[in-house]
Amino acid sequence: DAKTTQPPSMDCAEGRAANLPCNHSTISGNEYVYWYRQIHSQGPQYIIHGLKNNETNEMASLIITEDRKSSTLILPHATLRDTAVYYCIVRVANSGNTPLVFGKGTRLSVIA
Amino acid sequence: DARVTQTPRHKVTEMGQEVTMRCQPILGHNTVFWYRQTMMQGLELLAYFRNRAPLDDSGMPKDRFSAEMPDATLATLKIQPSEPRDSAVYFCASGLLGQDNYGYTFGSGTRLTVV
């Protein structure tokens, strides 16, 4: 079972920041937060992951609360191509024996 | 960019027929996963391999599904006999143990329709 809770859907205006929340209140100390997205008719795509510090890459920023029980994925300037289902996943990094377990994710619609 | 290649992209078959789906993982990756996606169940893990050895196939219906890695460049998922409830998109993903800073890479999937 997925160990995260996400809203089923969100809308965002094109050019605005999209902030996608995720609750993971039972996260363990050695578990990372991963974000993937799935654009229609494609396979899931890795976005970013983090342990406790905030992370940023060319795609997005990840903000993790101090107690690590929740996080927010931020797409700073959403475009129509960011319309997708976004999955928040917790797992032990580099563990080898804990594959990605996907929940239902958040369906983000970017509106022109 | 390196990519995971899945063939065929689409497959329509009649109930009772054998179906074989193929996956070419990224060269050098030692972990391969098979997922199935349906509207009702979402993305479900079927099986995964490390260094070509199966680690877990508990997500697969054992009586009709089988997954193998004949060599490091090919993973196969077979359904025999196929049933209409097997209609789904099947994704393969690969990664490298110890270096998953960039997560796993997924293929574009095989869309299977069993009529």
Side-chain angles (χ1 to χ4, degrees), chain B residues 26-70:
Chain B
I26 290 174
L27 188 64
H29 280 189
N30 63 356
T31 308
V32 175
F33 302 85
W34 283 104
Y35 286 84
R36 175 173 63 183
Q37 185 171 36
T38 61
M39 289 291 293
M40 293 298 294
Q41 300 297 328
L43 274 161
E44 301 173 282
L45 177 69
L46 296 176
Y48 67 106
F49 294 77
R50 169 86 23 76
N51 296 323
R52 297 175 55 200
L55 284 189
D56 187 350
D57 61 2
S58 59
M60 282 198 322
K62 299 290 192 306
D63 56 337
R64 299 183 299 107
F65 284 59
S66 62
E68 295 178 345
M69 282 200 73

Side-chain angles (χ1 to χ4, degrees), chain A residues 34 36 38 41-44 46 49 87 91 93-102 104, chain B residues 9 33 35 37 40 43 45 48 50 55 91 97-104 106-108:
Chain A
Y34 284 78
Y36 279 72
Q38 187 175 23
S41 298
Q42 298 182 20
Y46 167 84
H49 77 291
Y87 298 97
R91 73 180 276 272
N94 295 329
S95 70
N97 292 329
T98 56
L100 296 169
V101 176
F102 290 84
K104 296 193 181 300
Chain B
R9 288 297 310 277
F33 302 85
Y35 286 84
Q37 185 171 36
M40 293 298 294
L43 274 161
L45 177 69
Y48 67 106
R50 169 86 23 76
L55 284 189
F91 289 104
L97 176 62
Q99 294 188 23
D100 64 354
N101 287 337
Y102 298 98
Y104 295 126
F106 283 76
S108 298

